[in-house]
Amino acid sequence: MADGVKPTDPVHGTGPGTGNSAQDGRRRRIGVMGGTFDPVHHGHLVAASEVQAWFGLDEVVFVPTGQPWQKQERLVSAAEDRYLMTVIATASNPRFWVSRVDIDRDGPTYTIDTLRDLRAELPDADLYFITGADALSDIFTWRDADELFELAHFVGCTRPGFTMDRSTLTGIPDDKLTIVEIPALAISSSDCRSRRMRGEPVWYLVPDGVVQYITKYALYAPESNQTEPKPKLGPTG
Ligand code: ATP
Ligand code: MG
C-alpha cells in the first residue's frame, strides 16, 4: 500500500491517498508548512489539509518563521503573535501541530535550517515540504538548495486551472516534486492585512479565533507597531 498513496506523476499526481503509517506499517510521513503566517488564513489550512489527504500524511507541522529574510522590506508582526495565531488556527485538527524551531532560532529563517532541525527531531519520518508553487521557481536562490531535496519531497500548491510552466522548475529533480491544486489559493495574508488597515472584515478568510486574536491585540491596525511584542495582560492587569 505504501506506493499506492504516492502520486506517480511528479507534476499532477494521481489522487488523494488514504492510508497512514499506523495502518500499513510504512515510515511516517510528515508535512512541513513553513510560513510567516502574518496572519495564518484558510488558504494555508486548506493547502495543509489537501496535501495531508493527497499523500496520506500522518501529521502536518506548521512552522512560523523567525525573522523572514524574504520579507525584510515590511514590518512583520511579533513571532509570538504569529505563533499563537497558528496554534489557535490548527488546534481543532488532531493531525496539525505547530513547531517553534524557527522562532526559537536566532537570526533569519532559512528553509534548509528548518528541514535540518525537523529531520533531527523526526529521524523516522519522510518530510514533505509544502510551499506555494510560485516560490518554487526561486528555490535555487534559497540557501543550500541542493541539500533541500535530500531532506524533503517538495509539494508546490497552485490554483485550479493554473498550468505550471515546467521551464521555471528546471533543475528540481522530478521525483522530488509534486504540484497540487488548492481551491482556496486566492486568500493571502497581505490581503487580510490590507483589509484590516482599510477597516474591512477578515471574517471567513481566517479562522474565527484568529479574527478575535487580531481584534484583541489590534494587529494590522494602521497605528499598531507590528515589530514590538504586545503586552499580554493577565487577570490582574
Ligand atoms: P503574504 O501575502 O504576506 O506573502 P501568504 O498568504 O503568502 O502571505 P505566507 O505565510 O507567506 O502567506 O505563506 C506560507 C506558505 O503558504 C507559502 O509557501 C505560501 O506560498 C503558501 N500559501 C500562501 N497562501 C496560500 C493559499 N491561499 N493556498 C495555498 N498555499 C498558500
Ligand atoms: Mg506569500
Side-chain angles (χ1 to χ4, degrees), residues 33-37 41 43-44 71 131-132 184-185 187-190 193:
M33 181 96 197
T36 318
F37 303 131
H41 54 67
H44 299 130
K71 294 200 174 170
T131 185
L185 203 93
I187 305 173
S188 71
S189 299
S190 353
R193 293 192 303 272

